[in-house]
């Protein structure tokens, strides 16, 4: 239901921001790591370089920076956020969620927060979840972040995958409004039958390290397979724990098929056709995938935003990063229909149609300066609050040791 008290509510993108590490990993750097060449990578993928997080950077710090920029554009305060969704395949932990860590660092004390796992489609999934919550009247404002440190989960011996991915983050702020437009439609899909094509084995209900040793005869094998990974007795064929594995050729075919299919479906749901679309912001995986999708959709490749030559595939972060750069380049204007399309592990895929409603960064002035300072105070307070809380817990436990009556109570 898109109505609240009889009034139709729309979900608009009112803020956006991106953050990428300063570290650049060029194709030439990769030539020193695996047997590859700049020429091979450029012609097969379109990628020239990608960003790589430093030791001090993480999925949370990149996501936080992107979120802070998105809040600056929206000129809202962290306390106005009702919901934070972080789409990521490289969370800091299984729990606490990266979303909760960012929520605290922003000082978004009234927000719920959770991570969303839908691989490279995650950002579109997250925007749809947030838009639905806004349209139902349940919340007013949401922050959706796609953030990844893909270089931390790459198998640097596998030249088929390690050349493709990079690190970065992008975020949008969504806000309820009575004005028509914003998120018009979305199509979310999954096919777990293709789960072996793209994956990241990690800690879960089945520990693959045990499962693998079972295959080697160290333990009984019964019941130790996961639906996503067929265990092979050949060590070379087995996915490595904590490392991404992929069947590139199959993923390529899957991607071109679902982009075409789901873009048509999302447009139909919005009552529009391809001729109404001003820009498609696709997941940035491979320039040849974009070219094949353009051919299948019978549109010029220029209709697709592409910046993968500089960032590679940043998974859930790629669409919001491309969106930010499209806005910066003046490729998105008020009243235009734009399409997001993502695809990736799961398998998952998703398309979304957005009517851009011309939200602009606020004009610099006294009010915006005060608002910005209020945000900075919120970030600073959050940082100190965490330190003080930890310190106070340490002191409390120290005192408890010297107070016999307290000890008795807990015994
Ligand atoms: N450098 C040099 N050679 C490489 C290489 C690299 N980095 N990676 C693979 N090769 C070799 C292969 O070993 C193979 O050699 P062979 O013929 O001697 O066996 C040859 O290049 C062709 O390999 P192939 O896998 O058929 O290449 P491709 O044209 O399909 O390109 C990908 C490989 C990975 C670039 C391409 O399949 C792809 O982009 N797939 C989609 C991946 C993707 O986007 N995943 C994320 C989705 S979210």
């Amino acid at each position: 239901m898109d109505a609240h008290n009889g009034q139709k509510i729309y979900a608009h993108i009112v803020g956006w921001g991106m953050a990428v590490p300063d570290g650049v990993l060029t194709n030439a750097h990769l030539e020193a790591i695996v047997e590859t060449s700049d020429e091979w990578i450029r012609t097969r993928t379109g990628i020239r370089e990608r960003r790589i997080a430093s030791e001090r950077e993480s999925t949370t710090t990149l996501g936080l920076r992107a979120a802070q920029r998105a809040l600056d554009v929206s000129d809202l305060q962290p306390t106005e956020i009702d919901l934070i969704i972080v789409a990521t395949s490289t969370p800091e932990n299984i729990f606490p969620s990266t979303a909760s860590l960012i929520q605290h660092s922003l000082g978004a004390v009234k927000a719920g927060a959770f991570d969303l796992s839908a691989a490279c489609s995650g950002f579109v999934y997250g925007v749809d979840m947030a838009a639905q919550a806004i349209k139902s009247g349940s919340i007013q404002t949401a922050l959706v972040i796609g953030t990844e440190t893909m270089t931390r989960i790459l198998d640097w011996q596998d030249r088929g995958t390690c050349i493709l991915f990079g690190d970065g983050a992008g975020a949008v702020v969504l806000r309820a409004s009575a004005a028509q437009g914003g998120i018009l439609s979305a199509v979310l899909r999954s096919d777990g039958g293709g789960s072996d094509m793209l994956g990241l084995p990690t800690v879960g209900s089945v520990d693959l390290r045990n499962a693998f040793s079972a295959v080697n005869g160290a333990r009984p094998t019964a019941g130790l397979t996961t639906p996503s990974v067929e265990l092979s007795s050949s060590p070379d064929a087995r996915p490595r724990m904590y490392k991404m594995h992929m069947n590139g050729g199959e993923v390529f075919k899957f991607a071109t098929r679902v982009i075409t299919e789901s873009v048509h479906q999302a447009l139909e749901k919005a009552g529009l056709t391809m001729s109404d679309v001003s820009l498609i912001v696709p997941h940035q995986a491979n320039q040849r995938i974009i070219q094949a999708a353009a051919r299948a959709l019978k549109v010029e490749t220029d209709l697709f935003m592409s910046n993968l030559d500089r960032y590679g595939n940043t998974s859930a972060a790629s669409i919001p990063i491309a969106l930010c750069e499209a806005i910066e380049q003046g490729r998105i204007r008020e009243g235009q229909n734009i399409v997001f399309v993502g695809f990736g592990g799961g398998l998952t895929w998703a398309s979304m149609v957005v009517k851009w409603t011309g939200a602009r960064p606020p004009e610099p002035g006294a009010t915006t300066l005060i608002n910005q300072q209020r945000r900075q105070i919120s970030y600073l307070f959050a940082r100190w609050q965490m330190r003080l809380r930890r310190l106070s817990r340490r002191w409390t436990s120290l005192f408890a040791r010297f107070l016999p009556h307290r000890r008795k109570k807990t015994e």
Side-chain angles (χ1 to χ4, degrees):
M1 196 179 73
D2 291 5
H4 184 58
N5 296 336
Q7 193 189 19
K8 200 162 160 101
I9 303 172
Y10 297 85
H12 292 264
I13 294 175
V14 296
W16 51 87
M18 62 175 273
V20 289
D22 290 334
V24 176
L25 189 71
T26 64
N27 291 347
H29 289 130
L30 285 169
E31 286 174 0
I33 300 172
V34 282
E35 202 185 326
T36 191
S37 68
D38 171 51
E39 202 258 335
W40 192 96
I41 302 173
R42 269 191 294 106
T43 51
R44 302 287 178 119
T45 70
I47 302 166
R48 289 169 188 276
E49 59 186 42
R50 66 290 292 141
R51 298 302 177 99
I52 182 162
S54 70
E55 271 175 26
R56 295 173 66 86
E57 286 169 317
S58 69
T59 298
T60 301
T61 64
L62 290 170
L64 176 65
R65 272 165 54 200
Q68 289 172 339
R69 284 174 191 160
L71 278 175
D72 283 346
V73 172
S74 69
D75 205 24
L76 293 169
Q77 294 304 318
T79 45
E80 292 178 88
I81 305 170
D82 300 306
L83 177 66
I84 299 175
I85 302 176
V86 170
T88 184
S89 297
T90 48
E92 310 244 329
N93 318 283
I94 299 297
F95 62 85
S97 70
T98 303
S100 283
L101 301 180
I102 293 177
Q103 169 272 318
H104 173 77
S105 299
L106 288 172
V109 290
K110 293 180 191 154
F114 68 94
D115 285 359
L116 187 155
S117 168
C120 308
S121 319
F123 179 76
V124 185
Y125 269 65
V127 173
D128 188 47
M129 296 296 103
Q132 295 301 338
I134 288 172
K135 289 177 181 187
S136 73
S138 138
I139 62 166
Q140 280 275 312
T141 307
L143 174 64
V144 182
I145 306 165
T147 177
E148 305 280 13
T149 42
M150 298 303 287
T151 59
R152 304 250 159 94
I153 51 115
L154 292 176
D155 179 348
W156 292 100
Q157 292 163 15
D158 177 9
R159 64 179 181 172
T161 53
C162 76
I163 55 137
L164 297 172
F165 295 90
D167 303 333
V172 292
V173 176
L174 289 140
R175 186 108 162 128
S177 165
Q180 277 190 23
I183 314 304
L184 297 185
S185 71
V187 171
L188 313 183
R189 294 284 186 273
S190 170
D191 172 17
S195 55
D196 57 336
M197 284 206 246
L198 194 54
L200 171 59
T202 185
V203 177
S205 59
V206 174
D207 188 335
L208 290 181
R209 278 174 303 191
N210 291 337
F212 291 160
S213 65
V215 173
N216 290 330
R219 290 159 63 126
T221 55
L224 283 172
T225 53
T226 72
S228 63
V229 181
E230 292 292 332
L231 296 179
S232 160
S233 55
S234 150
D236 294 341
R238 284 181 224 142
R240 290 176 61 198
M241 203 62 189
Y242 308 114
K243 298 292 169 202
M244 176 193 277
H245 65 89
M246 177 182 72
N247 180 334
E250 287 303 316
V251 171
F252 194 104
K253 281 185 256 169
F254 146 76
T256 43
R257 177 175 57 81
V258 298
I259 292 177
T260 324
E261 199 177 278
S262 70
V263 167
H264 279 308
Q265 287 167 347
L267 283 170
E268 196 182 328
K269 237 175 144 178
L272 300 171
T273 66
M274 266 318 294
S275 59
D276 299 310
V277 177
S278 298
L279 187 71
I280 299 176
V281 185
H283 168 47
Q284 308 284 310
N286 185 322
Q287 192 59 24
R288 281 163 56 220
I289 292 180
I290 292 180
Q291 285 160 351
R295 277 195 301 276
L297 287 167
K298 297 185 178 65
V299 296
E300 295 293 323
T301 311
D302 282 358
L303 192 69
F304 283 77
M305 174 66 195
S306 171
N307 61 359
L308 60 84
D309 58 326
R310 285 173 293 119
Y311 303 119
N313 180 341
T314 55
S315 193
S318 89
I319 294 177
I321 289 176
L323 173 71
C324 288
E325 293 206 336
I327 296 167
E328 209 173 282
Q329 292 166 15
R331 291 189 68 181
I332 300 179
R333 286 190 298 277
E334 187 168 353
Q336 287 181 333
N337 298 307
I338 61 168
V339 172
F340 300 151
V341 54
F343 51 88
L347 299 169
T348 55
W349 62 100
S351 278
M352 168 172 281
V353 182
V354 182
K355 183 172 270 303
W356 199 254
T357 34
R360 272 183 215 94
E363 295 292 328
T367 327
T368 50
L369 202 68
I370 291 167
N371 288 344
Q372 194 169 18
Q373 274 165 1
R374 281 177 60 202
R375 281 191 293 275
Q376 294 302 329
I377 291 166
S378 172
Y379 308 150
L380 201 70
F381 182 73
R383 205 161 49 226
W384 279 103
Q385 195 200 26
M386 184 181 268
R387 283 183 193 160
L388 288 174
R389 268 161 67 176
R390 282 184 186 157
L391 200 69
S392 107
R393 274 199 298 269
R394 217 171 290 159
W395 278 102
T396 312
S397 66
L398 203 67
F399 276 129
R401 268 197 234 154
F402 297 106
L403 296 174
H405 69 281
R406 286 284 302 271
R407 198 163 56 221
K408 260 185 211 150
K409 248 189 202 173
T410 52
E411 275 166 3

